[in-house]
Amino acid sequence: MKNKKAPIKKLLLIFGIILFAACMIVPIPYYVEQPGATIDLKDLITVNKEKDDDAGSFSLTSVGIRQATAFSALIAHFKPFEDVVSADELTGGSTNEEYEQMQQFYMESSQNAAIEQALKLADKPYELEYKGVYVLGVEKTSNFFNEVSVGDTVTQVDGKSFTSSQEFMEYVKSQKVGQKVTITFTHDGETKEATEKLIELPSDKKPGIGITLTDHTEIKSDENIDINAGNIGGPSAGLMFTLEIYEQLVGKDIRHGENIAGTGTISSDGTVGRIGGIDKKVASAVESGAKVFFAPDDEITDEMKEVEPDIKTNYQEANAAAKKIGTDMKIVPVKNVQDALDYLAKMK
């Protein structure tokens, strides 16, 4: 009997070792979100080929994302600023390639909006060039589903060019459901054309191509502003990009030698918008030694409350994270970029 039990115990031990190794190594269809890097924007931004050499820093904050294993997903449940999300929750149902394309576009848009805001604030002339309609998504019911991809830029419809996505949509909606239209678009730098029938959009019963879209614009200025964001994606660095570019454009130490971090999108009118994962960004900023953290003081609408009754503003979420950590880092609410500049002016 002993001779028979020994091999069984050995097999169970081997199985246990293999199972443990699998839990440690084999990826599962979930991701762990955690505090990412806090990055000094002096290292990413130059204006007129000169770097910022003033004391202190403006830094962007990020959320780190890694594919989970069974072990890392379990550990994440016991860590205060780590969350486990499904692939669909992370990408919104997009493919990995589409998700990366959207993150890249959001980053480019964030940079353009930040450059525009900084130039406005510094009273520097610029031109806003409309490049077309950027494709953020393609409906499966669209007749262009296999023709156009996320990341493409539609430049013309039936040979007509437009100066905004609003003009673009007005033209398409003035046509008829089932009517064929020809769109001109760029894909990976190559100009292409596709001709298909318009569908009836479920949202308003009007004719449409069946794509989710936004303006694709570019800033033209005599100021040489270079942002080297590497593989960082998303729109959430807009506010901090604006402050760093503005400091370099005006040639003044507006941060007074302090290390300042923050987050928030930036729009063409200077509004600072809501972002995700702010608790993780606060944790990252604290770890970096930042003394001040700018957080969007966004508006919570009734529609948002209906979906999520306990929803908080980014500022409230950031404050809660700071209290949980027990830091003396100052959390500053900002509704627009001017709020941030006003706070910096008072820091003297």
Side-chain angles (χ1 to χ4, degrees), residues 128-133 154-156 160-170 215-217:
L128 186 65
E129 180 184 355
Y130 179 76
K131 301 187 75 173
V133 169
V154 179
T155 56
Q156 292 183 333
K160 300 179 186 296
S161 299
F162 305 93
T163 59
S164 70
S165 58
Q166 185 62 37
E167 277 189 16
F168 171 92
M169 289 187 292
E170 285 174 359
D215 286 343
H216 190 174
T217 58

Side-chain angles (χ1 to χ4, degrees), residues 19 24 28 60 68-69 82 89 96 153 174 184 206 224 287 295 299 307 336-338:
L19 182 62
M24 293 284 289
I28 60 176
L60 67 80
T69 63
E82 292 194 4
E89 286 175 315
N96 286 340
T153 297
S174 70
T184 306
K206 297 286 187 179
N224 185 349
E287 183 67 23
E299 180 185 354
V307 176
N336 51 61
V337 68
Q338 191 60 51

Side-chain angles (χ1 to χ4, degrees), residues 201-264:
L201 300 177
S203 57
D204 58 8
K205 307 302 181 183
K206 297 286 187 179
I209 293 171
I211 59 175
T212 307
L213 51 84
T214 189
D215 286 343
H216 190 174
T217 58
E218 190 173 295
I219 300 293
K220 298 292 184 183
S221 169
D222 291 337
E223 309 296 328
N224 185 349
I225 301 170
D226 182 57
I227 305 176
N228 181 16
N231 61 358
I232 302 169
S236 64
L239 170 64
M240 302 313 292
F241 280 154
T242 303
L243 295 175
E244 175 62 35
I245 296 167
Y246 176 72
E247 163 132 342
Q248 294 192 44
L249 283 171
V250 298
K252 295 178 182 178
D253 179 14
I254 64 171
R255 58 180 175 256
H256 312 294
E258 293 289 355
N259 293 323
I260 299 170
T263 189

